[in-house]
Amino acid sequence: MGSEAQFQKSADTVANLDKDGPIRPTSDDQLYLYKYFKQAKVGNNDTPKPGMMNFTAKYKWEAWTSVKDVSREESHEKYVSKLVEILEKVGDEKARGYIQEISALA
């Protein structure tokens, strides 16, 4: 699972999640999704490392840099698989609906 269409649907789903809703990825999950999203969309990180005191930017930069040279296709796969894993843990009707929508694009 991880076609371009599935990746785009997954990214749209994550972008539109209700911040107070039942589907709330953990900070670690968010960082995981972020690094593979950036790798899929931009490729290798060639931006300067943020300063030490900018913790959020530093963690994001380090996460993205950690997937250097991962292919676009593998990044799609990792992103989609992680989102499906998160949705399966929630297991409610809405989450199952998202999984069906993503799977239908295979």
Side-chain angles (χ1 to χ4, degrees):
M1 183 179 289
S3 70
E4 175 76 33
Q6 287 176 313
F7 171 76
Q8 192 56 55
K9 179 64 178 171
S10 297
D12 292 345
T13 299
V14 169
N16 292 308
L17 289 176
D18 182 358
K19 292 190 189 299
D20 297 320
I23 304 169
R24 286 188 257 174
T26 66
S27 295
D28 286 343
D29 289 340
Q30 289 176 34
L31 208 51
Y32 185 96
L33 292 170
Y34 173 82
K35 70 184 178 182
Y36 285 109
F37 177 86
K38 292 294 279 187
Q39 189 67 15
K41 289 293 200 178
V42 180
N44 289 339
N45 183 0
D46 63 359
T47 62
K49 186 173 185 176
M52 281 178 82
M53 299 310 288
N54 192 345
F55 297 111
T56 301
K58 181 176 159 263
Y59 290 135
K60 290 168 99 174
W61 186 91
E62 288 172 347
W64 181 13
T65 301
S66 76
V67 295
K68 182 180 181 181
D69 295 331
V70 172
S71 71
R72 182 175 186 192
E73 294 76 18
E74 186 176 351
S75 296
H76 288 170
E77 164 68 28
K78 300 256 188 200
Y79 189 96
V80 172
S81 294
K82 180 55 123 180
L83 178 59
V84 169
E85 175 187 314
I86 293 165
L87 294 170
E88 286 173 341
K89 285 181 187 174
V90 174
D92 68 4
E93 187 175 329
K94 191 169 196 166
R96 286 191 302 273
Y98 287 140
I99 292 170
Q100 288 177 348
E101 290 174 7
I102 293 165
S103 297
L105 298 170

